[in-house]
């Protein structure tokens, strides 16, 4: 039942986003990182990654796409994500309801879709939040996360998260520094409670441009 309700919300978000495409704003991002870490696990066999994305927003509606190289030791050598949703606010609570599709065009059998529900709340100058990502395929795990962020100065902020991915737990903590209005650098520590080479503790350095 929970996935049916989330699916209905995500479908409505997609339809609403599509109808709003006549107006709105686009933004773009590119990044280079020493290791593409997703939910505590290296997606590039502990090697560097280059990524980029395009986002569209119009009021509470958003949609976008993002791509990165990957290395799972299989035929897939890149990932292409598609997503859309709505970001309504109720009082001080900021919500995010959406759908995300993770595609690996060279290896279709590992493609999957998640339904997202997230909320954040201001805490002083920072914020705290929680998110649920429900997988539409029963063979894959759901993911639940709590997170927080706090600005130390106009240019420096710290953030962290703790997540439950069904078969393991993961956490990260790090800091970001705004080099310019466009360019930022992030240094982040990741770890899990799974003892494998690609899920052991690691530090990733990421340089990102957003415009």
């Amino acid at each position: 039942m929970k996935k049916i309700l989330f699916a209905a919300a995500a479908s409505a978000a997609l339809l609403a986003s599509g109808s709003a495409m006549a107006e709105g704003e686009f933004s773009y991002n590119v990044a280079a990182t020493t290791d593409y870490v997703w939910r505590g696990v290296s997606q590039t066999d502990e090697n560097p990654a280059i990524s980029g994305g395009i986002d569209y927003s119009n009021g509470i509606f958003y949609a976008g796409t993002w791509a990165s190289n990957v290395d799972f030791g299989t035929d897939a050598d890149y990932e292409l994500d598609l997503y859309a949703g709505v970001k309504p606010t109720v009082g001080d609570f900021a919500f995010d309801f959406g759908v995300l599709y993770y595609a690996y065009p060279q290896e279709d059998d590992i493609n999957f879709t998640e339904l997202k529900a997230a909320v954040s709340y201001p805490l002083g100058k920072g914020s705290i939040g929680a998110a649920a990502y429900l997988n539409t395929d029963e063979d894959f795990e759901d993911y639940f996360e709590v997170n927080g962020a706090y600005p130390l100065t106009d240019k420096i902020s710290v953030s962290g998260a703790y997540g439950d991915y069904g078969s393991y737990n993961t956490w990260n903590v790090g800091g970001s520094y705004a080099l310019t209005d466009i360019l930022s650098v992030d240094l982040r520590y990741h770890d899990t409670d799974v003892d494998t080479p690609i899920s052991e503790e690691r530090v990733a350095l990421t340089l990102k441009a957003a415009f």
Side-chain angles (χ1 to χ4, degrees):
M1 177 60 69
K2 65 178 182 178
K3 293 190 177 182
I4 293 174
L5 292 174
F6 276 104
S11 297
L14 280 170
L15 291 173
S17 296
S19 66
M21 288 295 286
E23 300 177 356
E25 297 181 352
F26 286 92
S27 59
Y28 310 88
N29 65 84
V30 292
T33 183
T34 57
D35 193 352
Y36 170 19
V37 184
W38 185 74
R39 296 177 185 172
V41 178
S42 174
Q43 306 295 289
T44 48
D45 195 23
E46 303 181 291
N47 291 310
I50 301 294
S51 63
I54 301 173
D55 292 283
Y56 170 84
S57 63
N58 187 344
I60 67 171
F61 309 107
Y62 70 89
T65 184
W66 181 87
S68 173
N69 61 292
V70 297
D71 184 358
F72 304 135
T74 64
D75 291 336
D77 60 20
Y78 74 96
E79 170 187 337
L80 176 64
D81 300 344
L82 303 171
Y83 47 87
V86 293
K87 292 183 176 181
T89 57
V90 179
D92 290 332
F93 291 91
F95 294 91
D96 182 350
F97 301 104
V99 58
L100 303 92
Y101 179 62
Y102 303 81
Y104 304 89
Q106 297 154 319
E107 196 170 356
D108 290 342
D109 59 338
I110 61 174
N111 295 351
F112 64 98
T113 302
E114 290 183 330
L115 307 175
K116 175 185 180 181
V119 61
S120 65
Y121 185 81
L123 186 64
K125 294 181 179 179
S127 64
I128 55 173
Y133 295 81
L134 305 182
N135 206 296
T136 60
D137 188 332
E138 296 295 340
D139 293 332
F140 290 83
E141 303 276 9
D142 297 334
Y143 177 71
F144 303 93
E145 179 184 282
V146 292
N147 52 67
Y150 193 85
L152 300 179
T153 70
D154 290 341
K155 292 181 176 293
I156 301 173
S157 63
V158 294
S159 60
Y162 183 90
D164 179 350
Y165 205 9
S167 58
Y168 71 92
N169 297 314
T170 178
W171 51 92
N172 73 78
V173 62
S176 297
Y177 179 75
L179 299 170
T180 69
D181 291 341
I182 294 175
L183 199 62
S184 64
V185 62
D186 182 273
L187 183 65
R188 192 156 302 273
Y189 170 83
H190 301 266
D191 201 3
T192 74
D193 57 6
V194 181
D195 188 17
T196 68
I198 61 171
S199 62
E200 293 175 342
E201 62 179 356
R202 68 193 62 247
V203 174
L205 179 65
T206 303
L207 181 66
K208 182 177 180 179
F211 46 93

